[in-house]
Amino acid sequence: METLKVALLGAGNVGAQVARILLEDADALAGRVGARLALTGIAVRDVDAPRAVDLPRELLSTDAEAVMAGADLVVELMGGIEPARTLILAALASGATVVTGNKALLAEHGPELYAAAEDAGVQLAYEAAVAGAIPIIRPVRDNLAGDNITKVLGIVNGTTNYILDAMDATGASFADALADAQRLGYAEADPTADVEGLDAAAKATILASLAFHTSFDRAHVWCEGITAITAEDVAAARDAGYVIKLLAICETVPANPADQGASDGDRGVAVRVHPTLLPREHALASVRGAYNAVYIEAEYAGSLMFYGAGAGGVPTASAVLGDIVSSARRRVLGGPGVTESVGAHVTPVGLEAVVTSYAIGLRVADASGVLAAIAAVFADHGVSIETMRQSTHTDGAGDETAGAQSEGDGERAGGDAELRIVTHRALDTALRRTVEAVGQLDVVHEVTSILRVEGA
Ligand SMILES: NC(=O)c1ccc[n+]([C@@H]2O[C@H](COP(=O)([O-])OP(=O)(O)OC[C@H]3O[C@@H](n4cnc5c(N)ncnc54)[C@H](O)[C@@H]3O)[C@@H](O)[C@H]2O)c1
Ligand SMILES: N[C@@H](CCO)C(=O)O
Ligand code: NA
């Protein structure tokens, strides 16, 4: 039986597990590939660093280029842009197949790397880059290649889902929940990428590019993270029947915002990542812990849902191993692999064409006429209110008022009241202007939170 040499770059949370499984399951994997997979070297920063898995010391080296020399497959699990980019380009140029889980790199330099793979006639596989263990890259790129995807809605970051879920379920603080996510191996080396939404935005860039057959750039993606979400936001969402999730949303929208409501006209695609209120009965609302889920709407397939472990060393290693086996098998059998299709050239559109609704938290003067003044600003901007809940700071009691009505105004003079408003759907720009105008009213002391609502 032929032997294929596998070089591994990085032995952290994911890389160490990939190495372990390559060694432990060598016979089973050989049967699936039709060749033995020989792990010939592992590039690490420090050969003496403690690791979750004991790896043969003779395989470890701090010289990544030497580790890659002569490899048939290079598996990059170092993360970061450099030296990962340079090493992958060198591996592809040498004719090696490359498997990576590096979404940050693909979101920034994907087109360059895909072209290098195509030029070299080798595969670049990256199933682990989006939603960890969940098969999503190949389903979107290959299985749905004959359909027309119209919407992708995903919980694609395990760390933030873990944090938001813990805040919702146990009242945990943001900091404690983040520390747990780091300990469990879900968070990136620098968790800023997770909590600021950058990791999800990178994944959204990759998904949008595949789903809409167009090369999207990270700069096309609107991105807001979860660092401003407070325990009060989570509690208010819960009281109103919602849960807060960080969603990546890619959807077709009119290319020209003025065409809202028209059934014809050019379509573009808007890609955004932000914390979102979801009704608790929504399918994505029940995605707990570090689990991920991606919901897809396609013209012919209808609605599809992909669910599973979106992060963690062992589950993510599953996606990496899948890519290793399938691309190694292709090396054994010969022939070019499937490549990205980017010929559709749809127009990337910003948030200005997106129709959504807002959940707004306001701290207002608890006085007569305040609700009427706020409702008037909404009416002036053509934005209608679905629900308005009021509670005072002193007793936190809820008082629901449906619609933009002013009854219930100002029973309690003096002090502040907390208002939670959910709007009907409107253009994001109109909603933003409305909030700005409301924030300028004297009776509005603070805009405490602005969150978008989906699926209501
Ligand atoms: N952890 C997850 O759940 C998960 C899931 C999907 C994808 N990923 C991606 O997989 C990759 C690896 O993630 P991880 O969680 O294992 O990260 P990690 O930080 O645990 O591991 C990366 C390892 O690479 C090593 N490394 C970095 N630069 C190096 C260099 N120049 N030379 C040699 N070694 C170097 C580091 O020392 C570290 O041990 C990243 O791209 C990440 O985004 C991670
Ligand atoms: N840090 C990422 C790892 C998986 O890509 C997450 O939390 O989802
Ligand atoms: Na995946």
Side-chain angles (χ1 to χ4, degrees):
M1 193 184 258
E2 186 184 350
T3 295
L4 295 176
K5 291 181 184 153
V6 181
L8 178 61
L9 310 181
N13 285 315
V14 185
Q17 299 299 337
V18 169
R20 176 180 66 79
I21 297 167
L22 278 174
L23 296 169
E24 285 180 6
D25 292 357
D27 291 342
L29 295 173
R32 294 173 208 168
V33 173
R36 293 202 72 80
L37 297 175
L39 182 57
T40 51
I42 307 174
V44 295
R45 271 199 185 127
D46 174 3
V47 292
D48 296 316
R51 266 168 250 286
V53 176
D54 275 334
L55 298 171
R57 205 188 152 87
E58 67 277 12
L59 292 182
L60 305 181
S61 164
T62 54
D63 185 345
E65 282 169 27
V67 164
M68 291 197 325
D72 297 290
L73 280 91
V74 172
V75 182
E76 185 277 305
L77 292 166
M78 304 189 308
I81 305 300
E82 289 295 355
R85 173 181 156 275
T86 302
L87 292 170
I88 289 177
L89 287 171
L92 294 170
S94 77
T97 293
V98 172
V99 175
T100 179
N102 195 333
K103 54 267 166 151
L105 176 63
L106 293 171
E108 261 190 53
H109 297 283
E112 178 191 25
L113 298 169
Y114 307 142
E118 211 164 334
D119 288 349
V122 292
Q123 270 197 294
L124 170 62
Y126 50 93
E127 184 58 70
V130 180
I134 304 175
I136 190 70
I137 296 294
R138 254 176 281 171
V140 173
R141 188 182 67 178
D142 302 346
N143 305 75
L144 291 168
D147 208 323
N148 300 312
I149 293 177
T150 51
K151 184 161 188 165
V152 180
L153 207 62
I155 295 174
V156 292
N157 182 267
T159 303
T160 48
N161 203 58
Y162 185 91
I163 293 171
L164 292 171
D165 184 40
M167 290 174 77
D168 182 68
T170 69
S173 73
F174 180 89
D176 286 350
L178 172 59
D180 278 349
Q182 286 177 293
R183 189 175 46 76
L184 294 164
Y186 305 143
E188 296 301 307
D190 174 1
T192 314
D194 294 300
V195 297
E196 297 292 359
L198 308 175
D199 176 78
K203 291 164 176 167
T205 309
I206 297 168
L207 279 180
S209 300
L210 293 173
F212 298 101
H213 305 275
T214 295
S215 209
F216 276 82
D217 192 278
R218 171 61 188 82
H220 295 135
V221 181
W222 176 273
C223 177
E224 292 168 33
I226 66 161
T227 52
I229 303 290
T230 61
E232 288 72 34
D233 289 330
V234 173
R238 167 177 276 282
D239 286 351
Y242 295 98
V243 63
I244 301 179
K245 297 289 188 190
L246 183 73
L247 291 193
I249 304 173
C250 322
E251 61 184 340
T252 57
V253 294
N256 179 352
D259 289 347
Q260 292 297 333
S263 55
D264 49 5
D266 287 344
R267 307 286 292 174
V269 169
V271 188
R272 53 196 165 109
V273 168
H274 52 68
T276 312
L277 267 72
L278 284 175
R280 295 189 89 86
E281 60 277 11
H282 192 283
L284 290 176
S286 58
V287 177
R288 306 283 310 270
Y291 280 90
N292 281 191
V294 181
Y295 166 86
I296 293 181
E297 281 175 14
E299 187 176 351
Y300 310 128
S303 302
L304 300 166
M305 179 93 160
F306 301 82
Y307 170 83
V314 178
T316 305
S318 166
V320 175
L321 265 298
D323 278 347
I324 292 175
V325 169
S326 77
S327 55
R329 185 150 179 73
R330 186 165 295 285
R331 280 186 89 89
V332 171
L333 297 174
V338 179
T339 59
E340 286 64 33
S341 89
V342 292
H345 304 296
V346 301
T347 313
V349 180
L351 210 59
E352 67 279 1
V354 168
V355 173
T356 182
S357 55
Y358 274 21
I360 304 151
L362 301 174
R363 193 166 56 77
V364 302
D366 194 5
S368 169
V370 171
L371 298 191
I374 291 169
V377 174
F378 276 80
D380 287 348
H381 286 79
V383 171
S384 65
I385 293 174
E386 185 178 299
T387 60
M388 195 187 271
R389 293 167 69 89
Q390 177 179 347
S391 62
T392 62
H393 271 272
T394 44
D395 62 10
D399 170 26
E400 183 145 1
T401 314
Q405 295 150 13
S406 57
E407 62 253 33
D409 251 29
E411 284 119 21
R412 245 183 282 245
D416 276 357
E418 182 78 31
L419 278 188
R420 293 271 168 180
I421 297 171
V422 177
T423 74
H424 280 293
R425 286 167 68 76
L427 273 174
D428 199 272
T429 23
L431 291 164
R432 225 179 310 166
R433 281 194 203 115
T434 309
V435 177
E436 272 162 28
V438 164
Q440 279 160 15
L441 292 174
D442 285 344
V443 291
V444 173
H445 296 162
E446 188 187 355
V447 178
T448 55
S449 120
I450 307 167
L451 292 164
R452 295 183 185 83
V453 184
E454 283 292 317

